[in-house]
Amino acid sequence: MTDSGELTALRDELISAIDGAGDEAALEALRVSALGKKGAISERMKGLGKLDGEARKAAGQALNKLKDEVGSAIAARQADFKAAALDERLATEFVDVTLPARPEPAGTIHPVSQVWEEVVQIFADLGFSVAEGPHIETDWYNFGALNIPDDHPARQEHDTFYLNPKEDGTRMVLRTHTSPVQIRTMETTQPPIRIIAPGRTFRSDSDQTHTPMFHQVEGLVLDESTHLGHLKWCLEEFCKAFFELDEVKMRFRASHFPFTEPSMEVDIGCSWVDGQVKIGVGDDWLEILGSGMVHPNVIRAGGLDPEKIQGFAFGVGIDRIAMLKYGIPDLRAFFESDLRWLRHYGFSSLQRPNLAGGLS
Ligand code: DAH
């Protein structure tokens, strides 16, 4: 029963069955039938005891060889199955790692949103927090509390949009500046106060540099000792950070606002090259903001004591500094929703401005 012809036949039968096994289960069944306790090879091993001497040795060697051969064939076939399973997984779970992480965003960030965020980042770094106020204001918050009495010419200059009069005859206004947020902040916050108030403002005015809706950012610092030097330092720091320059030439020009005393308009040095403005250097000047020490009447209107509390305020046109920084010529285009304009002047939505990574 262990003659070599019979073993050769068994070998051929097993090897071809192993090669033809369709899956791992079939292969396992074959392994059991050959090498398992009652398998064909194991049974023959058990029979060896009945042989004697040389015959047992020869048959033993032949059976061991067959056992090894069958074992190797099974291992090889198992490896085939593993490789095939892996190939299949690789094919079905294929990921093209060269594809972009996500589709290129179709939209862009509007220059006003970009600059708004840049301004917030800069002042946050200087310790300011962000305050807000309503777009529709009372006459008191927009004018009266800011030391602009009824007959003051500033009221005409502001080209105010009025709402229809209420029953008591008073009229609400679309706020003509962000300065009312000064009063609202004083009413709710005890000094020290350090806020900026970015937001929409409205005036009945429209040309290349004016739109009926535009954006300002108000600043207010109040405590017991803040003085004009702090105002200058603060605005210089802002201009350097905003225009991303080491030095910016600045000029503080005496001016007049009802809500500040003294009042200053701030110009930055610039030059014109081929019709393009270059900020920071040169012999020309561009006005960028209004500022001053908060008028005692304004501090009083905000419910604070001007004998104790003092500080500065400023107001900057967000759209205006956006035009200057990014060389955008016409303000009206800001609000026309022209997709070509938005794609040209817009900013990547994946790169939000911050001081560490760069503002723009
Ligand atoms: N409110 C002023 C305007 O709309 C801008 C301004 C000037 C704001 C001086 C201020 C300031 O806070 O101190 O034209």
Side-chain angles (χ1 to χ4, degrees):
M1 71 176 201
T2 51
D3 65 88
S4 63
E6 201 253 302
L7 272 193
T8 308
L10 178 61
R11 175 199 169 276
D12 291 349
E13 187 192 323
L14 284 172
I15 297 292
S16 81
I18 289 165
D19 287 347
D23 57 25
E24 284 190 272
L27 188 63
E28 175 60 11
L30 275 168
R31 190 190 65 76
V32 172
S33 77
L35 304 173
K37 258 195 198 152
K38 295 201 168 124
I41 295 174
S42 313
E43 288 294 342
R44 283 171 175 75
M45 293 275 200
K46 284 181 209 158
L48 286 176
K50 292 180 194 144
L51 299 176
D52 46 22
E54 282 301 305
R56 179 162 60 193
K57 195 177 166 201
Q61 277 174 352
L63 275 173
N64 271 326
K65 186 168 165 260
L66 176 60
K67 191 179 155 193
D68 288 349
E69 209 177 336
V70 167
S72 308
I74 289 173
R77 191 79 186 117
Q78 243 157 10
D80 286 349
F81 285 137
K82 286 226 162 63
L86 184 62
D87 282 349
E88 196 184 314
R89 266 192 71 191
L90 287 175
T92 53
E93 296 173 16
F94 172 76
V95 177
D96 183 352
V97 294
T98 65
L99 284 175
R102 61 183 90 163
E104 209 34 44
T108 57
I109 299 292
H110 194 286
V112 170
S113 305
Q114 168 80 17
V115 166
W116 179 313
E117 193 59 35
E118 291 179 19
V119 170
V120 168
Q121 290 288 329
I122 294 167
F123 280 106
D125 191 53
L126 292 173
F128 286 65
S129 48
V130 172
E132 281 181 325
H135 294 163
I136 301 173
E137 272 294 9
T138 61
D139 188 276
W140 167 252
Y141 281 110
N142 195 76
F143 295 121
L146 290 161
N147 200 33
I148 311 175
D150 283 348
D151 54 355
H152 198 283
R155 293 208 178 215
Q156 277 80 57
E157 285 159 26
H158 276 212
D159 299 307
T160 313
F161 284 116
Y162 287 96
L163 277 72
N164 290 335
K166 294 199 251 187
E167 265 172 25
D168 63 6
T170 59
R171 289 185 300 179
M172 302 291 279
V173 301
L174 292 185
R175 67 176 182 190
T176 59
H177 49 179
T178 43
S179 303
V181 185
Q182 289 190 31
I183 306 298
R184 291 186 174 275
T185 304
M186 288 182 226
E187 285 176 343
T188 56
T189 317
Q190 277 305 307
I193 291 173
R194 235 187 265 168
I195 57 109
I196 55 164
R200 294 189 168 186
T201 47
F202 308 85
R203 287 183 204 178
S204 176
D205 201 354
S206 184
D207 59 34
Q208 215 192 333
T209 53
H210 296 90
T211 49
M213 187 281 298
F214 57 106
H215 299 84
Q216 286 189 340
V217 56
E218 193 78 12
L220 177 67
V221 174
L222 286 177
D223 54 30
E224 293 181 6
S225 57
T226 287
H227 55 69
L228 206 73
H230 296 124
L231 163 60
K232 290 183 69 175
W233 180 85
C234 186
L235 293 177
E236 274 171 18
E237 287 305 302
F238 167 70
C239 286
K240 284 194 280 187
F242 179 72
F243 290 108
E244 300 179 63
L245 297 167
D246 292 334
E247 283 307 321
V248 182
K249 220 165 102 180
M250 292 179 78
R251 178 169 77 176
F252 293 79
R253 212 167 10 86
S255 180
H256 175 78
F257 300 106
F259 27 89
T260 46
E261 181 58 37
S263 304
M264 298 178 302
E265 277 173 308
V266 178
D267 302 335
I268 47 171
C270 68
S271 53
W272 294 87
V273 186
D274 301 330
Q276 286 279 347
V277 66
K278 197 167 175 324
I279 301 291
V281 286
D283 295 328
D284 287 327
W285 296 99
L286 272 171
E287 184 197 318
I288 56 159
L289 60 90
S291 65
M293 298 305 292
V294 182
H295 197 290
N297 289 349
V298 174
I299 295 178
R300 201 172 293 115
L304 301 174
D305 179 1
E307 295 294 326
K308 279 222 274 285
I309 298 301
Q310 62 181 44
F312 65 80
F314 57 87
V316 191
I318 293 183
D319 323 87
R320 184 168 166 74
I321 58 172
M323 290 169 79
L324 292 177
K325 181 168 179 181
Y326 295 112
I328 309 174
D330 190 334
L331 178 63
R332 286 167 302 192
F334 274 62
F335 309 117
E336 281 169 357
S337 304
D338 180 338
L339 276 179
R340 287 165 310 167
W341 187 92
L342 287 167
R343 286 194 190 109
H344 182 75
Y345 288 111
F347 292 82
S348 162
S349 53
L350 298 177
Q351 278 165 340
R352 305 300 290 142
N354 69 73
L355 291 180
L359 287 178
S360 60

